[in-house]
Amino acid sequence: MDFIESRYEDYLNSESRVDRTKKAHIDSRVHVCLYFIAPSGHGLKPLDIELMKKLSDKVNLIPVIGKADTMTPEECTAFKKQVRTYSLNYTNKHPHVVFCFLWTID
């Protein structure tokens, strides 16, 4: 989180300067975060949920189920559903856009 915030602060400082050169105006912000979730049989852990909440307020968040190929299709579908349900429940309270793919790779 500190790294992401420092990147935004650096960008804001470069934008606020009177003499903005091209080199100083390089966009070094973090635009997206791939969040890898361990494929446990218990679903999302409270730590995952808390970190996803904090990160999604700062950057675009793409949850990725790590080692999904080791799960059965049923486990993978149930895990995806849990992550999607969390995302929709959380984003209904906050103005974020959730993109749901029309296709899945199973």
Side-chain angles (χ1 to χ4, degrees):
M1 292 297 292
D2 292 337
F3 177 78
I4 294 169
E5 290 173 357
S6 71
R7 296 287 102 199
Y8 274 101
E9 188 174 318
D10 291 346
Y11 183 77
L12 179 63
N13 289 338
S14 70
E15 280 284 310
S16 301
R17 290 188 190 124
V18 175
D19 180 28
R20 290 184 271 174
T21 62
K22 284 192 174 195
K23 185 170 180 148
H25 191 60
I26 295 173
D27 187 358
S28 62
R29 295 175 291 177
V30 177
H31 295 282
V32 67
C33 175
L34 297 176
Y35 187 83
F36 284 85
I37 303 169
S40 65
H42 307 290
L44 286 173
K45 297 175 185 171
L47 179 63
D48 288 326
I49 293 171
E50 189 63 32
L51 285 173
M52 288 171 68
K53 283 180 185 177
K54 288 182 180 182
L55 285 169
S56 66
D57 287 339
K58 304 288 183 190
V59 297
N60 296 310
L61 186 65
I62 301 173
V64 177
I65 301 171
K67 298 182 181 181
D69 58 336
T70 62
M71 302 169 78
T72 66
E74 294 81 19
E75 290 173 332
C76 194
T77 302
F79 204 90
K80 286 180 188 179
K81 186 182 282 187
Q82 184 183 17
V83 172
R84 190 173 295 126
T85 300
Y86 156 74
S87 297
L88 291 174
N89 287 341
Y90 182 70
T91 56
N92 284 339
K93 298 173 187 168
H94 296 81
H96 293 92
V97 176
V98 175
F99 182 80
C100 295
F101 290 98
L102 299 176
W103 48 269
T104 60
I105 299 174
D106 292 322

